[in-house]
Amino acid sequence: MKKLKSWLASANTLDCEFPLANLPYAVFSAKEQSHSIGVGLGDQVANLRMLEEAGLFDDLSPSLRESVRQSTLNPLMGLGSDQWGALRQRLTALFSHIEYKEVVEPCFIPQADVVFHLPCQIGDYSDFYTSVHHASRVGALFRPDNPLLPNYKWVPVAYHGRASSIRISGEAFKRPAGQLKVPESDRPALGLCQRLDYELELGIFIGTGNSLGEPIDIDEAEQHVFGVSMFNDWSARDIQAWEYQPLGPFLSKSFFSSLSPWIMPMAALAPYRCHWTREASDPQPLDYLDSATNRTQGAIDIKLEVWIETEKMRANNQPAERLSTSNFKDSYWTIAQMVAHHTINGCDVKPGDLLGSGTQSGPAPEESGSLLELTAGGKEPITLSNGEQRTFVEDGDRIILKGYCGNEQHRIGLGKVENIVKSGNSHLP
Amino acid sequence: MKKLKSWLASANTLDCEFPLANLPYAVFSAKEQSHSIGVGLGDQVANLRMLEEAGLFDDLSPSLRESVRQSTLNPLMGLGSDQWGALRQRLTALFSHIEYKEVVEPCFIPQADVVFHLPCQIGDYSDFYTSVHHASRVGALFRPDNPLLPNYKWVPVAYHGRASSIRISGEAFKRPAGQLKVPESDRPALGLCQRLDYELELGIFIGTGNSLGEPIDIDEAEQHVFGVSMFNDWSARDIQAWEYQPLGPFLSKSFFSSLSPWIMPMAALAPYRCHWTREASDPQPLDYLDSATNRTQGAIDIKLEVWIETEKMRANNQPAERLSTSNFKDSYWTIAQMVAHHTINGCDVKPGDLLGSGTQSGPAPEESGSLLELTAGGKEPITLSNGEQRTFVEDGDRIILKGYCGNEQHRIGLGKVENIVKSGNSHLP
């Protein structure tokens, strides 16, 4: 793969996650200025509103020019893949041809100098459950005699999530309270969550929507997807275990969820598509979840990582430590299948809607995307290199999720989502 | 109870659901004009923007005056109960004192001449499960050996719902498709829902929200509630039965849900509050779900009804037929308990968020708020007075949900939500 070079030096270094081949979107502000749409390049953010005002999009469509001047990505998301392609092509030209440097460079600001915000207004958030390895390992903990339910290999299982409590990377949050019931007691009690967990997920943003009652065909599904982010679906396992039957998880999920600032466009992922395959023993998908394109390139090779930095590590200036790795290509269901399934009943999706991939765990136990799996439901603590032990997340822990595609020579990154857990309310109602 | 009279004759008739004691809110438009906030009185809608422009709110707060000029109720909802009270007091004066008639009457338009719209932007929708009678009867169908799960009498069980597919009364919708699996087959197939059902619910609208991480105390909970509507949580029982484990209902609910146009303010419900009691054998609620006020007046006497009008009835000019009645006072959990529970984990609620009460069924089997219950899971068809039979909802059926408080002399109504089911997509993907 020949690597296109930018006139911006920081975009061409070997360890750069934001080369020309990436161009992820974000919403940011600097020095109390208004929120702007930005595109990441090297260690900089390009302010799209300033690029537009500099006349660099004058020959693009009026709707596209208007959309990049907004303070959220929703209008751009709603324009569709042709317009996203036109903008990406223009940005690639502006950032690679040296003659644009003089006019473009004043529209850059260092990433280190900005504050990131949620990239769009998230109307609805749905969380899938696409890792069969996660479903099997968690199922074995909750239902030892029946780990993988009969519908799993037919239905891309998902539930409606809470949009209001989704925040951007960097925000700290309080340990939640809720009803907890231990097996030894015959009644629950209100208390602070004792089994706080992360979930290593991709966030998938809908671009163009559909009309109520009109399903999206699997072969058109990805044209409705704007891009992907890192997503942590924070979970209170003890609250979940008591509340989740028969209608699914509720307060165990709605206290806080977090997104990385960057949305990597689907176009950037093109070189990392791969075959989506099933085990010979697995059923083939129903027709509405099947297509030749989905089979040959439905999966995506995205490397995922979980890191932890405890309060003690910070106090001792120790670096964060990696807890696990996995890969989105091991997902049992693809992005196109998620979108086709979500709309098969006529449900309407809208620009800015978020789909969580579900916890991405690989086939090996050490490729688990949650502590619930890594510690066998809290029964087998893990020991960190400084001697600290963890069964679940403790106050002061910072959890960092990262994702990237490629190798040491060619890499594009999704950035990271990181949050510190604070102690909960000391005076419960 | 002395009944305050309006100078508008239609507001004082015995069968009027919108007397001065009600004053429900809606969003409407007439003759292609813009969306306006309206208040129902008799057979009229008062246009609040016009009342404001006529100077009738000049001494009210600037934020209140601004909020009633908007095209959705969200800004008014966010102002809080003191401001809602000030507006209600003013409207009561304007509509009752004859000296205002000349200036107010031009701001009225007949309800029959307007189109209603969703009253607000619904950020998040959560659906509760507060009828123990519904939970027990449905539980017995899905889990004969374990109808009421152990958490039910402790946890106000709920799940996150889909906001995008909520529509206003009057819209028709297509029968949804989805994965169906009959017990006789070892594999599912894509097909049109064969077990389409309604759910008789109250819609509860959040007014003022809370900050993430800050629970709402049960004694303050109702100050955060703007009002209530009729709500039909349409359900595809066959899709639900196959998809719902382990994460709860998803596509079985997200194809269409519908709201009545009117939001009855909580202030109008004050005369209909009643004791909330538990059976002696039931556990007392945990402290965060308990308060003296909630015990003495947490419940509300709201009469609920389901009606059906089949295609054949319409063709023969037969009136709609009542299928069942129930009462919200039989709910196992109160509105204040729903709000306190929803936020105990720190989840933030926002102006315009919707809580569904869950299907309201009474203790007697004929007080069932769904066909699933009325027909024992489709095994015992009901026979209508024209001889037609129903197990579930058929194409062409119009389902009408109504709600009201009071008796023949003093009645305030929630209006109705009604929709016709159309045939589904004939060409499935």
Side-chain angles (χ1 to χ4, degrees):
Chain A
M1 201 184 331
K2 189 172 173 298
K3 196 169 159 184
L4 194 62
K5 290 228 173 177
S6 172
W7 44 258
L8 181 73
S10 68
N12 305 321
T13 61
L14 272 188
D15 62 346
C16 174
E17 293 219 329
F18 301 126
L20 266 178
N22 193 347
L23 302 185
Y25 292 95
V27 168
F28 72 97
S29 62
K31 295 177 188 149
E32 298 173 21
Q33 288 175 339
S34 58
H35 293 199
S36 298
I37 296 174
V39 165
L41 182 71
D43 57 6
Q44 304 287 309
V45 193
N47 185 321
L48 293 199
R49 188 186 291 135
M50 290 175 70
L51 290 174
E52 199 279 330
E53 285 167 358
L56 295 165
F57 302 148
D58 278 2
D59 57 330
L60 300 180
S61 78
S63 57
L64 184 56
R65 291 173 56 193
E66 183 63 24
S67 71
V68 300
R69 298 177 54 84
Q70 305 305 310
S71 55
T72 75
L73 281 163
N74 299 78
L76 176 60
M77 290 168 149
L79 290 183
S81 52
D82 287 353
Q83 302 244 41
W84 309 333
L87 180 58
R88 184 173 174 82
Q89 191 174 20
R90 174 58 47 91
L91 293 172
T92 304
L94 294 178
F95 299 160
S96 59
H97 299 160
I98 189 70
E99 66 267 30
Y100 291 118
K101 179 177 177 184
E102 192 175 333
V103 59
V104 169
E105 208 160 30
C107 306
F108 279 176
I109 182 169
Q111 291 172 20
D113 294 349
V114 307
V115 175
F116 291 102
H117 308 284
L118 276 186
C120 58
Q121 190 181 347
I122 300 168
D124 277 293
Y125 151 48
S126 306
D127 200 27
F128 281 79
Y129 196 52
T130 66
S131 164
V132 68
H133 311 294
H134 171 72
S136 301
R137 282 200 284 271
V138 170
L141 297 170
F142 281 79
R143 298 172 302 275
D145 52 338
N146 192 19
L148 201 63
L149 295 169
N151 60 4
Y152 187 87
K153 293 192 170 180
W154 296 96
V155 180
V157 169
Y159 67 99
H160 308 290
R162 180 83 191 173
S164 72
S165 51
I166 299 174
R167 294 294 189 277
I168 198 73
S169 177
E171 283 197 31
F173 69 96
K174 284 189 219 172
R175 178 178 297 273
Q179 284 196 29
L180 313 176
K181 185 180 169 300
V182 292
E184 300 75 41
S185 173
D186 64 350
R187 50 182 295 163
L190 182 65
L192 288 173
C193 168
Q194 302 298 310
R195 294 161 68 91
L196 182 65
D197 204 356
Y198 57 80
E199 292 199 329
L200 172 63
E201 302 202 13
L202 274 189
I204 298 148
F205 283 96
I206 297 294
T208 45
N210 62 317
S211 299
L212 189 67
E214 301 300 333
I216 295 174
D217 187 89
I218 187 166
D219 270 330
E220 289 163 14
E222 282 207 11
Q223 292 177 44
H224 290 262
V225 177
F226 185 73
V228 298
S229 287
M230 295 304 302
F231 184 58
N232 190 340
D233 186 41
W234 288 93
S235 299
R237 301 298 182 193
D238 38 10
I239 297 173
Q240 184 175 357
W242 173 233
E243 76 170 359
Y244 92 107
Q245 285 190 320
L247 300 182
F250 185 55
L251 300 188
S252 52
K253 301 283 191 171
S254 62
F255 57 92
F256 190 84
S257 318
S258 51
L259 275 167
S260 61
W262 301 103
I263 305 181
M264 182 189 281
M266 294 305 285
L269 291 165
Y272 307 101
R273 310 301 303 230
C274 41
H275 264 275
W276 171 80
T277 49
R278 286 272 167 99
E279 300 285 329
S281 58
D282 289 339
Q284 291 306 308
L286 294 183
D287 285 350
Y288 79 98
L289 297 173
D290 196 17
S291 80
T293 307
N294 189 61
R295 285 174 184 237
T296 54
Q297 48 181 295
I300 316 179
D301 182 355
I302 305 178
K303 297 171 175 71
L304 305 168
E305 300 183 349
V306 184
W307 295 66
I308 188 171
E309 178 198 84
T310 69
E311 203 157 25
K312 197 169 167 186
M313 290 175 183
R314 279 196 297 282
N316 296 332
N317 286 317
Q318 292 168 321
E321 178 168 339
R322 195 167 69 187
L323 289 176
S324 69
T325 64
S326 68
N327 196 309
F328 184 54
K329 75 174 192 288
D330 290 326
S331 172
Y332 194 82
W333 299 104
T334 67
I335 290 176
Q337 288 171 325
M338 290 183 228
V339 172
H341 183 66
H342 202 315
T343 60
I344 187 64
N345 67 341
C347 180
D348 52 341
V349 295
K350 293 180 174 176
D353 282 354
L354 178 66
L355 313 184
S357 65
T359 309
Q360 293 301 304
S361 297
E366 63 270 22
E367 294 176 299
S368 291
S370 68
L371 279 173
L372 184 69
E373 297 163 79
L374 283 176
T375 68
K379 291 192 292 288
E380 299 167 13
I382 52 173
T383 302
L384 306 175
S385 56
N386 69 354
E388 288 186 275
Q389 287 198 324
R390 285 294 179 274
T391 47
F392 289 97
V393 181
E394 298 195 1
D395 292 349
D397 286 353
R398 184 199 306 270
I399 299 295
I400 307 144
L401 310 184
K402 303 178 187 179
Y404 65 95
C405 301
N407 52 36
E408 295 304 310
Q409 272 67 49
H410 301 282
R411 175 185 282 216
I412 59 173
L414 283 115
K416 60 188 176 184
V417 53
E418 54 179 341
N419 310 91
I420 293 182
V421 180
K422 298 187 294 184
S423 57
N425 289 319
S426 55
H427 299 292
L428 293 174
Chain B
M1 198 183 332
K2 189 174 172 300
K3 195 170 160 186
L4 194 61
K5 290 229 173 177
S6 171
W7 44 258
L8 182 73
S10 68
N12 304 321
T13 60
L14 273 188
D15 63 344
C16 175
E17 294 221 327
F18 301 127
L20 266 177
N22 192 348
L23 302 185
Y25 292 95
V27 167
F28 73 97
S29 62
K31 295 176 190 150
E32 297 172 21
Q33 287 175 341
S34 59
H35 293 200
S36 298
I37 296 174
V39 165
L41 182 72
D43 58 5
Q44 305 287 308
V45 193
N47 184 321
L48 294 199
R49 187 186 292 135
M50 290 175 70
L51 290 174
E52 199 278 330
E53 285 168 357
L56 294 165
F57 302 148
D58 278 2
D59 57 330
L60 300 181
S61 78
S63 58
L64 184 56
R65 291 172 57 193
E66 183 63 24
S67 73
V68 299
R69 299 176 55 83
Q70 305 306 309
S71 56
T72 75
L73 280 163
N74 299 78
L76 176 61
M77 290 167 149
L79 290 182
S81 51
D82 287 353
Q83 302 243 42
W84 308 332
L87 180 58
R88 184 173 174 82
Q89 192 173 20
R90 173 59 46 90
L91 293 172
T92 303
L94 294 178
F95 299 159
S96 59
H97 299 160
I98 188 71
E99 66 266 31
Y100 292 118
K101 179 177 177 185
E102 191 175 332
V103 60
V104 169
E105 209 161 28
C107 305
F108 279 176
I109 182 169
Q111 290 172 23
D113 293 349
V114 306
V115 175
F116 291 102
H117 309 283
L118 274 186
C120 58
Q121 190 181 349
I122 300 168
D124 276 294
Y125 151 49
S126 307
D127 200 27
F128 281 80
Y129 195 53
T130 67
S131 165
V132 68
H133 311 294
H134 171 73
S136 302
R137 283 199 285 270
V138 170
L141 296 170
F142 281 80
R143 298 173 301 276
D145 51 338
N146 192 20
L148 202 63
L149 295 168
N151 60 4
Y152 187 87
K153 293 192 171 180
W154 296 98
V155 179
V157 169
Y159 68 98
H160 309 289
R162 181 83 191 173
S164 72
S165 51
I166 299 175
R167 294 294 189 277
I168 199 72
S169 178
E171 282 197 31
F173 68 96
K174 284 188 220 173
R175 177 178 298 273
Q179 284 197 29
L180 313 175
K181 185 181 169 299
V182 292
E184 301 76 39
S185 172
D186 64 350
R187 50 182 296 165
L190 181 65
L192 288 173
C193 168
Q194 301 299 311
R195 294 161 69 91
L196 181 65
D197 204 357
Y198 56 80
E199 292 199 329
L200 172 62
E201 302 202 14
L202 275 189
I204 298 148
F205 283 96
I206 296 294
T208 45
N210 62 317
S211 299
L212 189 67
E214 303 299 332
I216 295 174
D217 187 89
I218 187 167
D219 270 331
E220 290 163 14
E222 282 207 13
Q223 292 176 44
H224 290 263
V225 177
F226 184 74
V228 297
S229 288
M230 296 304 303
F231 184 57
N232 191 341
D233 185 41
W234 288 94
S235 299
R237 301 299 182 193
D238 38 9
I239 297 174
Q240 184 174 357
W242 173 233
E243 75 170 358
Y244 92 106
Q245 285 191 318
L247 300 181
F250 184 54
L251 300 189
S252 53
K253 301 282 190 171
S254 62
F255 56 93
F256 190 84
S257 318
S258 51
L259 275 166
S260 61
W262 301 104
I263 305 182
M264 182 188 281
M266 294 305 285
L269 291 165
Y272 307 101
R273 309 303 302 230
C274 42
H275 264 275
W276 170 81
T277 48
R278 286 273 168 97
E279 300 286 329
S281 59
D282 288 340
Q284 291 307 307
L286 295 183
D287 286 349
Y288 79 98
L289 296 173
D290 196 18
S291 81
T293 307
N294 189 62
R295 286 175 184 237
T296 55
Q297 48 183 293
I300 316 178
D301 182 355
I302 305 177
K303 298 172 175 70
L304 305 168
E305 301 183 348
V306 183
W307 295 66
I308 188 171
E309 178 197 83
T310 68
E311 203 158 25
K312 197 169 167 186
M313 290 175 183
R314 278 196 299 281
N316 296 333
N317 287 316
Q318 292 168 321
E321 177 169 340
R322 195 167 70 186
L323 288 177
S324 69
T325 64
S326 69
N327 195 307
F328 183 55
K329 74 176 194 290
D330 290 325
S331 172
Y332 194 83
W333 300 104
T334 67
I335 290 176
Q337 288 171 325
M338 289 183 228
V339 173
H341 182 67
H342 202 315
T343 60
I344 187 64
N345 67 342
C347 180
D348 53 342
V349 296
K350 294 181 174 175
D353 282 354
L354 178 67
L355 313 184
S357 66
T359 309
Q360 294 301 304
S361 298
E366 63 271 21
E367 294 175 298
S368 291
S370 67
L371 279 174
L372 184 69
E373 296 163 79
L374 284 176
T375 68
K379 291 192 292 289
E380 300 167 12
I382 52 173
T383 303
L384 306 176
S385 56
N386 69 353
E388 287 185 276
Q389 288 199 322
R390 285 292 179 276
T391 47
F392 289 97
V393 181
E394 298 195 2
D395 292 349
D397 286 352
R398 184 199 306 270
I399 299 295
I400 307 145
L401 310 184
K402 304 179 188 178
Y404 65 95
C405 302
N407 52 36
E408 295 304 309
Q409 273 65 50
H410 302 281
R411 175 185 282 215
I412 58 173
L414 283 112
K416 59 188 176 182
V417 54
E418 54 179 340
N419 309 90
I420 292 183
V421 181
K422 297 187 294 184
S423 57
N425 288 318
S426 54
H427 298 293
L428 294 173

